[in-house]
Amino acid sequence: MTQLAIEVGALAKVFGGLAAVDGVSLSVPAGERRVLIGPNGAGKTTLFHCITGTLKPTRGSVRLFGRDVTRDPEHRRTALGMGRTFQITNVFPDLTLLENMTLAIVGTDRRKWVMHRAVAAFADVRRQALEGLEAVGLAGRAAQPVKLVSYGERRQLELALALNTRPKVLFLDEPCAGLSPSERQRISKMIAGLPRDITLVMIEHDMDVALGLADRVTVLHQGRVILEGTPDEVRANAEVREVYFGHG
Amino acid sequence: MLTSAILQAINGVSLAALLFLLASGFTLSFGLMRVVNMAHGAYYLLGGYIGLSVAQKTGSFALAIVAGGAAIAVLGYFIDHFLIRRTGENHLAQVLLTVGVAFVLGDVALAIWGGDNLMVPAPKFLKGSVVLPGDVYYPMYRLVMIFFGVFVGVVLWLLYKKTQIGAVVRAGVDDREQVNATGINVDLLFVMVSALASFLAGMAGVVGGAFLTLYPGAEWEILVYALVVVIVGGLGSLGGAMIGALVVGLLDAYGRWLLPEFSYFVLFGPIALLMLFRPRGLFGKEH
Amino acid sequence: MDRGRLALSLIALAAALALPFVAGPFWTGLATQMYIFGLLALSVDLLLGHAGLFSLTHASFFAVSAYTVAILQVRYAVPTTLAAPAGILAGTLLAAVFGISVRTRGVYFILITIALGYVVWGVAHRWSSFTGGDNGVTNVPFPAIGGVGITSHTQYYYLVLAVILLCALGYRVLIRSPFGLGLRGIKASETRMQSLGYRTSAHLYAAFVLSGALASLAGVLYVYYNRFVNPVASSFPISVEAALMAIVGGSGTIIGPFLGAGVVLGLRNWVSSFFEMHHAIMGAVFIATVLWAPDGLVGIAARLRARFSRPKEPGP
């Protein structure tokens, strides 16, 4: 049996009496590509926040490769191998793309504490940053401030930042949100081309994209898991259809 | 010793009553309008001076309180409308701007009332001492100050919890969008709350000026006490302001008594503890 | 650095070096103050312009350092070689304590730093047996190392100039380092920085202590210039004026805080020569800056340059 990359145990998050996530258990084996689907308000993003440490869960536990990280702060989880993107683009608008990438690259090692040497003096960081931008097709934009590039390019940068924290498990929160069909295709291709040793957990609204990328799919509804299975099983399931398309 | 301890407790509570007047306005304006108004101390001082002049001319302490409060309510409206409004929700800009306003008001007050310690004359029936159980003599005025503070606190509490306007304000403190949804004239509501906050500050200057005296620099000293009250209680919380005022009032009284040279240092304790355990104060919310 | 800026820097340096010869002692004194308070403003701006934290307690580090030097030199005849480092150490240690305020953000941070600043002012003001109360500590000598000492304000001017040039160079390295970039990242999005693996509160704490050390250094320079220190040095107006200087000059830059210090000090000197209410004038500068020049002089210069260097629209 392969090792479990992520193990979520009976996790709940309550906001003012309302359970956004209501006892979710989830196991993702290392190397798997798991997609979370569910209608708006199903608790997908909240679940993500709790797993990656942006929010503290009300109850339940999170394990990363067998290690209990429920109480670890977010930066520690990142150091242990969790990487994530945000549904609402969360990059550094006043900094250049290169500087954005530099922050991601030195964030998981001790070089982030260096005070006596200019960033420009780290040739290897610069090379890695340019390679990272190249990988998402942004190399030509390296010197531009983020606020001057398009929304689609920011989404690509969002992905590049997460990839450069050297993640073992990557959490992608609707990487294609708000993109045009052609940009959408480009990003899903990029995701499909990621090395298979990175475990992938992804929220996706677009059923075609989701079912195309996933090894397995977890369906959330009103803060609970209502189904877990292969893309084909999910496609065939009546309950999922009901949740997504209503009766009929 | 025990008698002194009791006296200091009453001193602390009476200071708390005064601080509550000032801090409640500050915390409500932040809660509803997200405005940090550092000129609140200057409002206090100016209100006190205006009350002083009115009391000297008319001999009426009640009139002095109303005049000090009302004058500052009007002044506060103009400062709010023409200056603070233009900063949006940029707290840094608000702080710099209102510190600037406080500097200007402080200098104007200095030019008019001079640099001496002045005391607002309290009415005759509040002068002298009361004999408390255990043969303790205590100044009547400070004792009445406690009742006045409780009275204002109760009135504010009722306004806040029991009236429709209070309900809207509470909803606004939790979530500003809700106020827009109620169909109430938001601008009018903001003007009212801001006027109330300024009125309270001006009034506090008059009642405080009758036992703490008024002098240049008093505006900053009182403001810092009010800030600590708000930090301890949590920004935007009326109940927090009450408890914060008691904590600060008592700590100050005992600090002055037991460690006179380090009385300010005593204020550091609660701030430090709060920062370690509750960075948003006892009743503070996420903003 | 492009050639225009290099030329400008060299001209500024030449002017600074020539100043005591061409201008009288009044201007030399004003320039010394501008360097000292510019350094204080620069320390405030490390947090304000780079990390996005608005501290109003920096007068505390400035004053604790100044008091330490003054008390050691005057009462215990400790030489400058020990007193000056002790001053910086004392101010920095206080910053390490007050640094817990980085557990808070936004308005809370502003309010808490104001309150902390008053704690120090209160101690300076009330603990008169040690601090000298409102009179403070007087008769601080000029600094001396071994047998060699400063003997005039002109000599001291050059010492201060040398120190702030070194500081500016060090500061420049710091803000360009990975650590400095990290601060700007935190200013832009703290949540994202955490998800990239940064323990942001530790970063901010380190910045706070560094900034406190710089403010302490300014305090040492101040006390040897002023030759006395009293509670005014620790007061709230000093903290808030330091922030104002940074903003007036241009927050987030190195030259800005020094320019801002020059403007604020120059204006105050000039106004107080014919008008008593100089606090009111300072207040008006606060208001005007917030309403009309939030980016400061450097921002205005950048806007002007952008306007004039823009290529002309092609004619019809």
Side-chain angles (χ1 to χ4, degrees):
Chain A
M1 186 188 153
T2 47
Q3 195 187 9
L4 288 179
I6 291 292
E7 215 181 336
V8 176
L11 191 135
K13 177 69 188 178
V14 182
F15 291 112
L18 215 75
V21 175
D22 193 6
V24 167
S25 295
L26 194 67
S27 296
V28 183
E32 185 179 294
R33 291 182 174 176
R34 174 71 59 97
V35 174
L36 302 181
I37 61 171
N40 279 326
K44 304 179 300 277
T45 294
T46 307
L47 176 63
F48 253 41
H49 284 331
C50 290
I51 298 176
T52 60
T54 308
L55 289 175
K56 279 193 188 113
T58 313
R59 281 188 300 278
S61 65
V62 180
R63 283 172 178 279
L64 176 67
F65 293 107
R67 179 193 163 127
D68 189 345
V69 295
T70 317
R71 286 177 203 295
D72 283 336
E74 186 166 15
H75 65 89
R76 168 80 43 82
R77 300 186 201 198
T78 305
L80 290 171
M82 281 191 187
R84 73 164 297 182
T85 67
F86 290 78
Q87 183 185 3
I88 298 161
T89 311
N90 192 349
V91 292
F92 310 105
D94 288 328
L95 305 182
T96 65
L97 273 67
L98 192 66
E99 285 171 326
N100 270 267
M101 289 298 286
T102 305
L103 284 175
I105 291 164
V106 301
T108 41
D109 64 38
R110 298 168 60 97
R111 284 175 296 185
K112 66 182 167 216
W113 284 105
V114 169
M115 301 179 181
H116 62 276
R117 252 178 95 192
V119 171
F122 292 88
D124 51 333
V125 172
R126 184 187 164 81
R127 200 182 54 241
Q128 197 187 334
L130 287 173
E131 280 169 12
L133 288 173
E134 177 88 59
V136 295
L138 288 173
R141 292 260 191 253
Q144 284 188 3
V146 170
K147 60 185 172 198
L148 296 183
V149 307
S150 72
Y151 177 76
E153 287 168 326
R154 286 182 211 192
R155 293 303 293 174
Q156 283 156 253
L157 176 65
E158 177 85 41
L159 185 61
L161 290 184
L163 280 172
N164 278 275
T165 57
R166 293 181 273 276
K168 294 182 207 139
V169 186
L170 187 58
F171 293 84
L172 304 176
D173 193 349
E174 293 197 42
C176 299
L179 294 180
S180 69
S182 65
E183 287 171 324
R184 213 170 250 271
Q185 219 172 14
R186 184 172 174 170
I187 297 248
S188 18
K189 236 189 224 154
M190 225 176 266
I191 295 167
L194 290 175
R196 284 301 311 210
D197 57 344
I198 297 180
T199 309
L200 205 63
V201 184
M202 177 172 149
I203 296 173
E204 184 51 65
H205 255 299
D206 187 321
M207 283 290 250
D208 292 331
V209 174
L211 299 181
L213 277 170
D215 296 328
R216 283 178 81 76
V217 178
T218 300
V219 187
L220 284 175
H221 183 47
Q222 292 178 347
R224 293 165 188 270
V225 176
I226 57 169
L227 181 74
E228 194 182 308
T230 64
D232 287 336
E233 285 165 5
V234 170
R235 220 174 260 129
N237 187 280
E239 198 181 356
V240 173
R241 271 200 222 138
E242 192 171 309
V243 165
Y244 261 87
F245 308 111
H247 296 275
Chain B
M1 186 69 187
L2 184 65
T3 316
S4 300
I6 294 168
L7 278 181
Q8 293 306 335
I10 308 177
N11 270 341
V13 177
S14 63
L15 178 65
L18 179 68
L19 291 177
F20 173 72
L21 294 185
L22 201 59
S24 57
F26 187 96
T27 207
L28 277 183
S29 346
F30 180 83
L32 186 64
M33 294 164 283
R34 303 288 183 268
V35 162
V36 186
N37 189 347
M38 302 290 296
H40 251 83
Y43 288 0
Y44 164 94
L45 185 64
L46 205 59
Y49 278 134
I50 291 169
L52 169 76
S53 293
V54 170
Q56 285 170 338
K57 286 256 159 45
T58 65
S60 163
F61 190 63
L63 202 60
I65 291 181
V66 174
I72 298 303
V74 173
L75 175 76
Y77 170 75
F78 284 111
I79 289 171
D80 224 44
H81 189 79
F82 292 106
L83 297 174
I84 299 177
R85 187 71 60 88
R86 296 181 56 179
T87 59
E89 286 200 7
N90 181 346
H91 295 312
L92 194 160
Q94 282 171 0
V95 168
L96 280 178
L97 181 93
T98 52
V99 164
V101 168
F103 278 176
V104 173
L105 294 181
D107 245 14
V108 169
L110 177 65
I112 300 176
W113 286 279
D116 296 331
N117 276 25
L118 301 177
M119 193 174 239
V120 179
K124 280 226 171 58
F125 70 95
L126 290 178
K127 284 183 179 155
S129 304
V130 220
V131 189
L132 299 175
D135 269 352
V136 179
Y137 285 81
Y138 194 79
M140 179 75 163
Y141 185 86
R142 291 195 73 139
L143 211 58
V144 173
M145 177 74 227
I146 297 177
F147 290 108
F148 185 67
V150 171
F151 169 71
V152 172
V154 169
V155 169
L156 280 181
W157 190 256
L158 289 177
L159 267 178
Y160 195 58
K161 290 282 182 191
K162 299 287 177 198
T163 67
Q164 202 200 340
I165 291 189
V168 176
V169 172
R170 268 184 291 141
V173 169
D174 285 337
D175 177 6
R176 284 181 76 179
E177 298 301 310
Q178 281 190 29
V179 182
N180 299 329
T182 55
I184 275 193
N185 184 338
V186 179
D187 284 338
L188 186 65
L189 180 72
F190 281 15
V191 167
M192 282 165 59
V193 172
S194 138
L196 178 66
S198 309
F199 183 89
L200 287 170
M203 181 173 77
V206 184
V207 295
F211 71 102
L212 293 178
T213 74
L214 302 167
Y215 49 90
E219 73 264 47
W220 296 110
E221 288 178 35
I222 198 87
L223 178 73
V224 169
Y225 277 79
L227 291 185
V228 179
V229 168
V230 171
I231 293 167
V232 170
L235 270 168
S237 161
L238 198 60
M242 289 183 192
I243 292 175
L246 276 174
V247 170
V248 174
L250 288 171
L251 276 173
D252 182 71
Y254 283 104
R256 277 171 198 268
W257 176 44
L258 299 171
L259 296 162
E261 292 188 319
F262 298 102
S263 58
Y264 271 85
F265 207 71
V266 175
L267 286 178
F268 178 74
I271 304 176
L273 283 178
L274 270 167
M275 268 187 294
L276 289 176
F277 298 109
R278 291 199 63 109
R280 292 194 174 271
L282 293 174
F283 302 96
K285 300 190 180 77
E286 293 284 327
H287 285 301
Chain C
M1 208 188 297
D2 58 66
R3 285 172 65 179
R5 284 177 74 181
L6 186 66
L8 215 59
S9 308
L10 287 176
I11 293 169
L13 182 63
L17 286 172
L19 184 85
F21 298 102
V22 286
F26 171 78
W27 290 105
T28 309
L30 194 62
T32 314
Q33 287 182 48
M34 167 183 149
Y35 298 155
I36 294 168
F37 283 95
L39 187 61
L40 180 64
L42 188 71
S43 77
V44 172
D45 200 46
L46 178 63
L47 294 177
L48 179 61
H50 296 275
L53 289 176
F54 185 29
S55 158
L56 285 173
T57 189
H58 271 52
S60 306
F61 317 132
F62 181 75
V64 162
S65 155
Y67 267 105
T68 305
V69 172
I71 287 170
L72 285 176
Q73 287 242 260
V74 174
R75 267 189 230 144
Y76 303 99
V78 173
T80 306
T81 40
L82 288 177
I88 295 171
L89 184 69
T92 309
L93 283 176
L94 185 70
V97 175
F98 282 10
I100 50 168
S101 50
V102 302
R103 284 179 61 87
T104 62
R105 296 286 180 279
V107 189
Y108 271 89
F109 183 83
I110 299 176
L111 300 187
I112 281 169
T113 53
I114 294 172
L116 292 176
Y118 259 87
V119 170
V120 174
W121 176 83
V123 172
H125 176 65
R126 293 239 176 93
W127 190 15
S128 35
S129 58
F130 187 67
T131 63
D134 279 345
N135 299 324
V137 186
T138 52
N139 297 323
V140 178
F142 268 131
I145 294 171
V148 191
I150 299 278
T151 53
S152 75
H153 275 108
T154 306
Q155 287 176 7
Y156 193 60
Y157 169 88
Y158 285 109
L159 178 70
V160 172
L161 181 62
V163 172
I164 65 149
L165 284 176
L166 284 175
C167 286
L169 288 176
Y171 191 89
R172 189 161 178 270
V173 174
L174 178 71
I175 61 176
R176 284 157 180 245
S177 70
F179 177 79
L181 184 62
L183 293 181
R184 279 183 287 151
I186 293 169
K187 186 184 181 187
S189 172
E190 192 172 350
T191 52
R192 182 45 139 174
M193 287 297 279
Q194 283 165 347
S195 83
L196 291 180
Y198 290 80
R199 195 172 149 200
T200 52
S201 51
H203 250 70
L204 292 176
Y205 180 78
F208 192 97
V209 176
L210 275 174
S211 153
L214 213 53
S216 308
L217 177 58
V220 172
L221 295 178
Y222 168 82
V223 75
Y224 283 123
Y225 170 78
N226 224 19
R227 319 289 290 279
F228 71 88
V229 56
N230 63 19
V232 172
S234 67
S235 67
F236 175 70
I238 298 285
S239 289
V240 71
E241 271 181 31
L244 177 73
M245 287 167 181
I247 294 169
V248 164
S251 184
T253 66
I254 297 179
I255 191 73
F258 291 98
L259 287 179
V263 169
V264 169
L265 292 171
L267 190 70
R268 187 163 54 198
N269 250 290
W270 176 59
V271 168
S272 59
S273 66
F274 60 87
F275 190 55
E276 261 186 22
M277 294 166 65
H278 64 265
H279 268 299
I281 296 297
M282 286 313 301
V285 175
F286 276 85
I287 297 169
T289 304
V290 169
L291 295 184
W292 295 299
D295 299 326
L297 294 176
V298 173
I300 292 172
R303 242 176 311 173
L304 287 178
R305 199 166 47 192
R307 182 177 300 171
F308 290 117
S309 66
R310 192 186 300 154
K312 291 213 167 68
E313 303 282 325

